[in-house]
Amino acid sequence: MQRKSKIIITAITALSLIIIIFLILDLTGLWSRDVLDTTYTGEADAHTVVITVDSQPLIYDGTSTFNPMMNVKAVDDAGNDVTNLVSYSITSTPSSIKKVINYSINQKDYSFATAQRNLELENYSAPSISFNCDPRWTIGEEQLNTFIDDLITNDDILADDGYGNDISENIYSENINNITSPGEYNVKFSVVNFLGDKSTVSGTLIIDGKTRTDEVNITLTQSSVIIPLNSPFNPYDYIESATDIDGNDVSHDLSVSCDVDTSQQGQYTVIYYIQGLDQISKKLTVVVS
């Protein structure tokens, strides 16, 4: 009986060893497969790039188009011209007429590369902003969104790039968007030229809470007109004036609805109005005969 028990125990032990060996081999295979499946293949090394620039300063006098890429070239380690990948920025120095142009390539597959070149400015006086009116305005809240555009359109505010070129369209306000209620505000107007130089001036803006466009007065030279067949017709010729509550000219805000066909006899109606204020309008009757 004891001998039989020993045989059974031996058999169980051998079977257990076999099972353990199979488990070890299987786990080893799984581990090997895991390692194989997660092997990382890195990207190829980035190309090195050399940016070359003229050793002499770039001199600019404002008489031609500014070209900071003049005599700049970039070549990678395969000999390819990659100048088109070069970007630049301009930094100031203590001298207002001397700056530094910083060139760089910061692109995927290319190592970071930089170069610098001095920039010297001739006949340069820095950007400036000037007013053609008293820099103190009183407007309604509804005029805030178009206030700066109106100043520029009316040439009430002008900006120069430092070389005599008009850059008024680039004028912006640094704090007008903070105005949310009636009151008196110090408004800052700024402009930045192509060299990154900035000019800032201030004006006083009063928001009085009145709605000016609600009291626009449109006056026509006449209420009706008779014109010959096939003769020219310009509806704007019949506007005498358009003023707001303060007497300011707002004729540039007028829109005209006109379907006059001078090649066809008949009676037509021309309507003068301000966009969004349909209740404020004037009509001109046009008879083509």
Side-chain angles (χ1 to χ4, degrees):
M1 183 70 178
Q2 290 180 349
R3 184 177 179 182
K4 188 176 181 180
S5 297
K6 288 182 179 180
I7 293 173
I8 293 173
I9 292 172
T10 301
I12 292 173
T13 302
L15 181 60
S16 298
L17 288 173
I18 292 171
I19 292 173
I20 291 172
I21 291 171
F22 273 110
L23 287 173
I24 292 173
L25 290 174
D26 189 58
L27 288 173
T28 303
L30 287 174
W31 180 82
S32 299
R33 288 196 297 275
D34 287 343
V35 171
L36 179 63
D37 291 342
T38 58
T39 299
Y40 174 73
T41 303
E43 295 181 0
D45 291 338
H47 293 288
T48 58
V49 180
V50 175
I51 302 174
T52 57
V53 300
D54 197 321
S55 60
Q56 297 299 312
L58 175 62
I59 299 176
Y60 182 67
D61 62 4
T63 59
S64 60
T65 301
F66 180 63
N67 181 16
M69 296 300 295
M70 183 182 298
N71 298 326
V72 175
K73 188 171 184 179
V75 178
D76 67 14
D77 51 12
N80 299 311
D81 187 338
V82 291
T83 308
N84 63 306
L85 299 180
V86 177
S87 59
Y88 74 89
S89 63
I90 299 175
T91 53
S92 298
T93 69
S95 171
S96 62
I97 60 172
K98 292 185 178 181
K99 298 182 180 295
V100 176
I101 307 176
N102 306 287
Y103 302 94
S104 65
I105 288 182
N106 187 14
Q107 298 279 337
K108 181 182 179 182
D109 299 330
Y110 290 91
S111 59
F112 185 64
T114 63
Q116 288 186 329
R117 184 182 186 185
N118 291 328
L119 171 64
E120 295 183 2
L121 306 172
E122 295 182 348
N123 306 318
Y124 179 64
S125 58
S128 62
I129 299 177
S130 59
F131 295 108
N132 278 336
C133 63
D134 180 14
R136 183 180 179 87
W137 307 271
T138 300
I139 65 172
E141 289 182 71
E142 80 283 356
Q143 295 173 284
L144 270 174
N145 290 336
T146 62
F147 175 62
I148 295 179
D149 288 339
D150 290 342
L151 290 180
I152 295 172
T153 300
N154 297 329
D155 291 332
D156 289 333
I157 188 170
L158 301 171
D160 181 288
D161 70 349
Y163 280 109
N165 301 307
D166 183 14
I167 55 171
S168 301
E169 63 181 15
N170 297 332
I171 296 173
Y172 64 95
S173 174
E174 298 185 352
N175 60 343
I176 197 170
N177 290 332
N178 297 330
I179 298 176
T180 58
S181 60
E184 183 171 317
Y185 300 88
N186 179 43
V187 178
K188 295 181 179 180
F189 303 90
S190 298
V191 72
V192 178
N193 68 4
F194 66 97
L195 295 168
D197 288 337
K198 180 179 178 180
S199 176
T200 300
V201 297
S202 297
T204 300
L205 182 61
I206 300 172
I207 308 297
D208 63 7
K210 297 178 182 178
T211 304
R212 278 150 177 76
T213 51
D214 283 348
E215 298 188 35
V216 170
N217 182 34
I218 302 172
T219 303
L220 303 180
T221 58
Q222 55 200 89
S223 60
S224 62
V225 60
I226 300 174
I227 60 175
L229 190 67
N230 295 320
S231 63
F233 173 73
N234 183 355
Y236 290 93
D237 290 341
Y238 299 90
I239 300 174
E240 181 174 302
S241 65
T243 56
D244 65 13
I245 190 175
D246 296 319
N248 298 313
D249 180 17
V250 293
S251 57
H252 56 277
D253 292 328
L254 286 180
S255 297
V256 177
S257 174
C258 177
D259 61 353
V260 176
D261 183 357
T262 59
S263 67
Q264 299 289 331
Q265 291 183 332
Q267 180 172 303
Y268 303 88
T269 300
V270 180
I271 301 175
Y272 301 84
Y273 64 98
I274 289 183
Q275 195 74 33
L277 297 172
D278 297 335
Q279 75 276 16
I280 300 176
S281 63
K282 279 293 177 72
K283 295 181 180 180
L284 172 69
T285 300
V286 179
V287 177
V288 178
S289 62

